[in-house]
Amino acid sequence: MTAKLIDGTAAAKRLRQDIAQQVASKGVTPGLAVVLVGEDPASQVYVRNKGKAAEEVGMKSWTHRMPADTTQAQLLVMVDRLNKDPAVHGILVQLPLPKQIDSQVIIAAIDPNKDVDGFHPVNAGRLSLGLPCFVPCTPQGCMILIREALPDLKGMKALVLGRSNIVGKPMMQLLLQADCTVTVAHSKTRDLAAECRAADILVAAIGKPLFVKGDWIKPGAVVVDVGINRIDHPTEAGKTKLAGDVDFAAASEKAAAITPVPGGVGPMTIACLLKNTLQSAVGIRA
C-alpha cells in the first residue's frame, strides 16, 4: 500500500482564498496584532509568515517587537493596550516566552474574544463543553485535513500522541465531538506501539523526530504528523532537513493517507489563525 498524500499546502491555499473573499465582502477589515518578545530565530520566521499571510488576504497586521529582557508587567501592559484597541480583532503572543514571563498569566490576560490562538482558559473550557469558541489553530487544521481523507469519522478509533494544551488536549476534544473513540497517549503510556496499531486515525504531536515507526501503523489508517523537527541531512554532511514525528517513508507503506512534513499541518495552522481572526472581526467564534 502506498499512502495518499494529504496536501496541507493546497488545503491552506483554498482556505485562504475563501477567507480573502469573505474579508472583501464583510465591510470590516480584520486586524491581527502579533507580539514577539526576544530574538528567537524560529519565532521571528513564524511571526513574519503570519503577518505576510494576514496582509495577503486583506487584513491589517501589526507586529510588536519587545526585547528579551521585557518584564511580565511590561508585557501585560502591551496586552491590555491591544485588548482595548478596537482595530485589533485578534491578539497572538508568540510562544515560547523568556523564562522571566509566565506564559499562562499572559494567555489569561488576553481578551477571550480576541484570543485567536484559542489558548485562553475560557476558550479551552468552552471547547471541552462543545460550545462555540476559538479553536486552537493546529488542531483545527488537523481536523480539516482528516476530514479530507475521512468525511465520516463516526465510530473511528483515534489516537492522539501527545497531551499538550496547544495540540493534544484540544485535538482530543475535536475528535470526540466528531464521534470518534479517542485515546490520548504520552510518554508514560505502556506499549505505545500497540496503541498506535489499533488506531484508524493517528495524530502524532510528541515532538520527537521519526518516533512513530512504520510497523506501528494500522494498515489503512490516516496519519496526521504535527511534528516539525530539524535533523541531520542523511546524505549531505553539515546540512539539516525537516522531519516529522512519524517515519514518513515507512508509514506510507501502511497508511491509507498521510500528511507530509513540511507541507502538511504547518500551512493549515496559519490559515486557521486567519479564519479565527476573521470570525472575531465579524463577531462569530470558531
Side-chain angles (χ1 to χ4, degrees):
M1 178 183 297
T2 300
K4 174 187 175 184
L5 203 65
I6 305 175
D7 191 340
T9 300
K13 182 179 179 181
R14 292 193 296 270
L15 180 54
R16 292 197 310 271
Q17 288 173 339
D18 179 64
I19 291 166
Q21 292 173 357
Q22 292 190 60
V23 168
S25 65
K26 293 295 183 182
V28 60
T29 302
L32 174 65
V34 181
V35 182
L36 176 61
V37 183
E39 303 295 331
D40 179 74
S43 292
Q44 291 189 61
V45 172
Y46 295 150
V47 165
R48 184 166 60 249
N49 289 343
K50 289 168 183 174
K52 180 182 178 182
E55 292 171 357
E56 286 177 348
V57 298
M59 297 183 181
K60 290 183 179 178
S61 174
W62 304 273
T63 299
H64 300 275
R65 300 179 184 273
M66 305 181 75
D69 60 357
T70 295
T71 66
Q72 183 166 293
Q74 290 170 328
L75 183 52
L76 287 170
V77 169
M78 170 63 75
V79 170
D80 183 62
R81 179 162 71 85
L82 297 174
N83 282 341
K84 295 174 179 175
D85 187 342
V88 174
H89 302 98
I91 301 170
L92 185 155
V93 178
Q94 183 67 40
L95 302 176
L97 292 168
K99 63 180 183 297
Q100 74 272 15
I101 300 175
D102 185 337
S103 61
Q104 292 303 316
V105 171
I106 301 303
I107 290 169
I110 297 171
D111 181 345
N113 293 309
K114 296 187 177 187
D115 168 41
V116 289
D117 255 340
F119 297 160
H120 192 285
V122 167
N123 283 312
R126 292 179 68 87
L127 177 62
S128 71
L129 295 172
L131 298 174
C133 65
F134 289 123
V135 176
C137 303
T138 297
Q140 185 179 164
C142 288
M143 284 300 296
I144 293 172
L145 297 181
I146 290 169
R147 288 189 182 279
E148 288 207 352
L150 289 171
D152 185 3
L153 305 184
K154 292 182 179 67
M156 293 285 183
K157 290 184 179 179
L159 177 72
V160 179
L161 181 51
R163 53 179 170 177
S164 72
N165 293 334
I166 294 173
V167 180
K169 292 175 183 175
M171 191 76 243
M172 172 194 70
Q173 299 291 349
L174 292 174
L175 288 164
L176 281 173
Q177 290 173 22
D179 296 321
C180 292
T181 300
V182 187
T183 299
V184 178
H186 46 78
S187 60
K188 304 296 189 296
T189 298
R190 296 177 182 176
D191 201 351
L192 183 56
E195 295 289 350
C196 291
R197 291 188 188 107
D200 302 308
I201 301 165
L202 173 62
V203 180
I206 200 169
K208 295 182 178 180
L210 310 179
F211 181 80
V212 178
K213 309 307 178 188
D215 63 1
W216 293 16
I217 305 301
K218 178 180 180 179
V222 171
V223 179
V224 176
D225 192 348
V226 180
I228 302 178
N229 311 283
R230 193 161 288 280
I231 62 172
D232 292 334
H233 199 285
T235 59
E236 299 182 39
K239 292 188 177 182
T240 61
K241 61 173 288 188
L242 291 178
D245 292 349
V246 177
D247 184 338
F248 178 83
S252 295
E253 297 297 320
K254 301 285 286 294
I258 189 170
T259 60
V261 176
V265 175
M268 291 301 299
T269 297
I270 293 180
C272 290
L273 173 69
L274 302 178
K275 177 172 174 282
N276 284 354
T277 303
L278 171 63
Q279 290 174 326
S280 176
V282 298
I284 302 173
R285 284 181 164 164

